């Protein structure tokens, strides 16, 4: 590989080299390196790392348990003790059972809807990436697609504020959990579901109104001389942004098959520990130890409940209630910062290796990092002059492009 040039760094030498980088590690050759096999320091660090991984796994195993785990343990202890010491004609109720039935009736469906839920999470991640990218590029289009001075800073600040409003609306929409199926069979369900539907409809109307204002804001660029091709491109970006939001909303509102989830929950928590008690009683007879059979029953059933809890936690990937959810609040905050940051100060701060200092780094001066429960403090400060406020008021008062002929019904029972 060529040496770096005298005036440049190592990166310049790599870029000017004629030879391509070649990694043995990526081809598995590194694993066969005998020098590492006898490297005591490396082996000690590796053993320590794997031990930490094992202890972390035990910690995560405890985290994925819930109140369902407690119900399951209580039923398991009761059933195992009953079948172990209950006698019929001086004989214990102890016999082996076939776990193949459990594998096909319970575990396989659970793995299936876990796979479905994880696939929905991956789709939501792809849409979230598109949302972050389009938010930034729509702002850059309003700022850079025309020569400097063609569009006033008032218009740029207006577009920036509209994008911040979109981010706030998405945050308010995605973070609260939904409880449709949990409240459905019980008294008072209509009132609770109506409240959820009313709040959801209000948020959707606000987001849709912001999209309309964002679309109308391109008229300023058209009057300033932006070409029709670029206007179409900008309109396409707004359209793709709304489509990405709607796809994420569908994932938020709809779940994997409710019947499979209900079947898995009942069988794992109640049926298996209750009716597989004779199997654990047979283990007690063979091992001559009730404690062994009891702990075997508890930990096997806790593993099934843990798998169930992982599956259920992925049903709503946005509510931050599971270990593998989507940190949508953090992603939207990054989008806010990308729109608000001063790129010149950012690059200068990185070059000085002071990227986190106030006013020179990734977080602009005055930006506040808040917890997911404190969404009101996540606004990026925006200096609004009187012209900016007049522009925002003008856009909010203008009629929509399409006449609104459908009045919002007061009773939204049909939405539930």
């Amino acid at each position: 590989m060529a040496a770096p040039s005298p005036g440049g760094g190592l990166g310049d030498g790599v870029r000017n080299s004629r030879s391509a980088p070649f990694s043995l590690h990526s081809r598995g050759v590194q694993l066969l390196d005998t020098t590492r096999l006898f490297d005591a320091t490396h082996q000690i660090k590796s053993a320590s790392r794997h031990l930490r991984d094992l202890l972390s796994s035990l910690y995560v195993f405890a985290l994925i348990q819930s109140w369902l785990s407690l119900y399951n343990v209580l039923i398991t202890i009761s059933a195992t003790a009953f079948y172990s010491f209950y006698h019929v004609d001086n004989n214990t109720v102890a016999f082996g059972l076939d776990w193949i039935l459990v594998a096909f009736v319970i575990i396989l469906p659970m793995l299936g809807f876990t796979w479905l839920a994880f696939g929905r999470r991956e789709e939501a991640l792809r849409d979230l990436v598109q949302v972050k990218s389009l938010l930034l590029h729509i702002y850059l289009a309003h700022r850079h697609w025309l020569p400097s001075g063609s569009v006033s800073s008032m218009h740029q600040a207006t577009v920036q504020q509209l994008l911040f409003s979109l981010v706030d609306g998405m945050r308010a929409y995605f973070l609260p959990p939904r409880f449709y199926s949990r409240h459905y069979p019980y008294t008072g369900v209509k009132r609770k579901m109506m409240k959820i539907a009313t709040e959801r409809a209000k948020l959707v109307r606000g987001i849709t109104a912001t999209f309309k204002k964002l679309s109308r804001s391109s008229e300023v660029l058209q009057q300033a001389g932006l070409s029709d091709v670029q206007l179409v491109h900008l309109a396409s970006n707004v359209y793709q942004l709304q489509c990405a939001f709607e796809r994420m909303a569908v994932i938020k509102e709809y779940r994997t098959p409710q019947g499979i989830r209900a079947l898995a929950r009942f069988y794992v928590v109640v049926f298996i520990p209750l009716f597989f008690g004779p199997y654990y009683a047979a283990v007690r007879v063979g091992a001559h130890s009730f404690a062994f059979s009891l702990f075997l029953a508890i930990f096997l059933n806790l593993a099934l409940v843990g798998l169930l809890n992982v599956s259920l936690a992925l049903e709503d990937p946005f509510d931050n209630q599971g270990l593998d959810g989507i940190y949508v609040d953090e992603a939207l905050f990054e989008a806010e910062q990308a729109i608000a940051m001063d790129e010149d100060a950012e690059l200068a701060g990185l070059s000085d290796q002071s990227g986190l200092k106030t006013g020179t780094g990734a977080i602009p001066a005055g930006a506040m990092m808040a917890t997911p429960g404190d969404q009101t403090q996540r606004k990026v400060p925006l200096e609004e002059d009187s012209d900016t406020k007049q522009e925002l008021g003008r856009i909010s008062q203008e009629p929509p492009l399409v006449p609104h002929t459908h009045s919002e019904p007061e009773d939204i029972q049909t939405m539930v």
Side-chain angles (χ1 to χ4, degrees), residues 102-119:
V102 177
F104 278 96
V105 176
I106 305 300
I107 299 178
L108 190 60
M110 271 203 305
L111 291 175
F113 78 76
T114 301
W115 175 76
L116 289 175
F118 193 81

Side-chain angles (χ1 to χ4, degrees), residues 400-414:
L401 295 175
V402 180
H404 184 65
T405 57
H406 175 69
S407 59
E408 186 69 26
E410 295 182 0
D411 185 6
I412 57 172
Q413 239 178 340
T414 57

Side-chain angles (χ1 to χ4, degrees), residues 272-337:
I272 292 180
L274 187 61
F275 288 96
F276 271 72
Y279 172 82
Y280 301 115
V283 171
R284 168 189 169 271
V285 173
H288 303 288
S289 173
F290 174 72
F292 174 78
S293 63
L294 181 62
F295 280 100
L296 176 65
I298 290 175
F299 281 103
L300 281 179
N301 286 316
L302 281 180
L304 292 178
V305 177
L307 178 61
L308 174 68
N309 289 333
V310 169
S311 305
L312 296 177
L314 283 173
E315 289 297 315
D316 186 352
F318 303 108
D319 61 0
N320 289 333
Q321 311 233 342
L323 294 176
D324 301 303
I326 297 175
Y327 306 118
V328 63
D329 194 25
E330 180 179 332
L332 293 177
F333 180 69
E334 291 173 354
E336 285 179 330
Q337 299 305 302

